[in-house]
Amino acid sequence: MIDGIWPNVVAGFQKASRRSGGDLTVGDLWVGCRSGHCFLFIVHEGDDVKAATVWKPETWQSGTKFRCMALYGQGMADWMPELHEMVKKVARDCGASSLVAEGREGWRKIFPHTRKIRTLYEEPIDGRQ
């Protein structure tokens, strides 16, 4: 199913990846979903994809977490509450005790019950960015 759906979400993931400068490529996301190591959630209205997100169960020292690998979408107020509940349900089914994600500070407005556990820094080594 991933191969059939992927053409409908690849551009959105590419745009989000370019904007965030993330450490994963769209190819990494596709391989993770295709191999069954990651979950792809789609928000759609008929054939029109409104949003997509990729999540992965991970074992951390502090227990199992459900990590957001990527997310993009439009009209978030319309679909985020339902998507959030679906992601939490799948996370529980995977044995996860919490959701984790990296992203810009603005996400705290959307998910006010989060706590910051780390900050990612990048230092160019040749003077260029």
Side-chain angles (χ1 to χ4, degrees):
M1 288 179 64
I2 294 299
D3 289 344
I5 293 169
W6 203 256
N8 299 303
V9 299
V10 68
F13 282 133
Q14 284 173 332
K15 183 177 178 183
S17 180
R18 278 192 303 273
R19 216 170 93 194
S20 70
D23 61 342
L24 295 171
T25 67
V26 175
D28 294 329
L29 298 172
W30 176 67
V31 168
C33 292
R34 197 164 191 264
S35 68
H37 294 151
C38 296
F39 291 83
L40 174 64
F41 296 85
I42 304 287
V43 177
H44 64 93
E45 197 170 285
D47 291 338
D48 185 26
V49 174
K50 300 290 185 186
T53 184
V54 174
W55 292 75
K56 178 182 177 186
E58 294 182 341
T59 304
W60 290 27
Q61 184 68 26
S62 57
T64 303
K65 313 293 183 187
F66 204 49
R67 179 179 173 206
C68 181
M69 310 302 284
L71 180 140
Y72 80 88
Q74 299 174 6
M76 190 181 305
D78 296 332
W79 48 261
M80 184 54 83
E82 187 176 352
L83 175 63
H84 191 213
E85 289 305 314
M86 176 60 70
V87 167
K88 288 194 295 186
K89 179 193 178 313
V90 174
R92 283 186 203 97
D93 291 346
C94 290
S97 59
S98 61
L99 307 177
V100 293
E102 291 182 40
R104 60 189 191 279
E105 288 290 324
W107 285 111
R108 291 191 93 179
K109 293 176 188 170
I110 298 162
F111 303 109
H113 301 292
T114 61
R115 70 180 176 94
K116 185 187 276 189
I117 58 174
R118 69 179 177 199
T119 301
L120 181 66
Y121 295 96
E122 179 181 13
E123 176 186 11
I125 58 175
D126 62 5
R128 295 179 289 166
Q129 287 212 21

